[in-house]
Amino acid sequence: MFVARSTAKVRICAGLGTIGAAAAITLGAPAIASADPGPIGCSTPPGGAPMTAETDDSTCATEAGESGAAAAYASVGEAAAVAQENAAALALAFDGGVAVTGAPAGTAPAAIAFGPDASALALGSTPGLSIAIAAPGSLVSIGPDGAECVGMGFAGDLGTGQSCLQMH
């Protein structure tokens, strides 16, 4: 019994570590509202104030609870991440994509959208990592209602085992 719990904790920690590393990279991105085009990043550490930033072609927004962390990065796209208590959320949008994450307590969703009309939505539904990756022209989501891939992309939830993969 102890081994199973330890293994699950290791998986969750590894998933959160991956999100944390991506969030740390995002922290180095500019997070100032600007009229200039270019990539922007937003991050809200545990207990921090919500953050938004906007350029001519990019928008990002983050919000986090007292023990949650959220990071969003956009380069010619829109990214938003919200994390509640004991959760981590990451959203990355590139070249016309829209990425949105919502992380209830204990979850770690990530959404990545790249290319025109790409939309990725990742809503944490079970403890651990979930991810949605959308290619140009695709709509990909993962959440309490399962995984859905319309167009090229991947979605998966390590907690439930639900996933979809669309190659064309």
Side-chain angles (χ1 to χ4, degrees):
M1 190 94 141
F2 177 76
V3 173
R5 284 188 187 150
S6 295
T7 304
K9 286 180 184 177
V10 167
R11 283 190 210 136
I12 289 170
C13 289
L16 290 175
T18 302
I19 296 256
I25 291 167
T26 303
L27 288 174
I32 303 169
S34 168
D36 296 328
I40 55 173
C42 297
S43 62
T44 302
M51 179 176 230
T52 60
E54 185 174 350
T55 67
D56 288 344
D57 57 8
S58 302
T59 303
C60 68
T62 57
E63 186 174 330
E66 287 298 316
S67 59
Y73 178 84
S75 179
V76 189
E78 298 177 34
V82 177
Q84 294 178 3
E85 303 302 315
N86 297 316
L90 175 66
L92 306 171
F94 306 96
D95 299 324
V98 176
V100 178
T101 58
T107 65
I112 303 167
F114 61 94
D117 300 319
S119 295
L121 172 64
L123 302 174
S125 60
T126 60
L129 181 65
S130 58
I131 189 165
I133 303 171
S138 301
L139 171 62
V140 177
S141 64
I142 187 73
D145 295 329
E148 182 176 6
C149 294
V150 178
M152 231 173 17
F154 169 77
D157 185 321
L158 292 179
T160 64
Q162 296 177 327
S163 65
C164 64
L165 174 63
Q166 184 69 32
M167 298 300 288
H168 56 283

